[in-house]
Amino acid sequence: MPLVACPVCEKQVSKRALSCPGCGEPDPARYHSRNTWLSRLFWLLVWIGIGAAVWYKVIPLVMDIFKQ
């Protein structure tokens, strides 16, 4: 039975445990997968924002330079 460290209290908990017996953290094995998903979503939104800024600010400036 594989064990993982609880993200809150750092005790070893079974991957199948529904909550940590030490601190009560719900589903301690999925804690890191939730954080990974949120982190990827955050960085995707950051890159979309950078792309939009480049598209609306930099591309028109470059096009004006080449038109002259």
Side-chain angles (χ1 to χ4, degrees):
M1 169 177 11
L3 299 175
V4 295
C6 175
V8 177
C9 67
E10 299 294 324
K11 291 185 179 181
Q12 294 294 313
V13 181
S14 168
K15 280 188 158 185
R16 296 181 190 176
L18 299 177
S19 65
C20 175
C23 66
E25 171 71 18
D27 207 3
R30 291 194 35 126
Y31 178 82
H32 295 292
S33 65
R34 285 191 306 254
N35 282 347
T36 301
W37 183 82
L38 290 174
S39 174
R40 287 181 183 162
L41 178 63
F42 170 77
W43 286 111
L44 175 65
L45 293 175
V46 167
W47 282 109
I48 289 172
I50 290 171
V54 167
W55 184 262
Y56 288 110
K57 299 289 183 178
V58 176
I59 299 292
L61 293 175
V62 171
M63 295 300 286
D64 285 343
I65 291 171
F66 284 116
K67 283 183 181 177
Q68 295 175 353

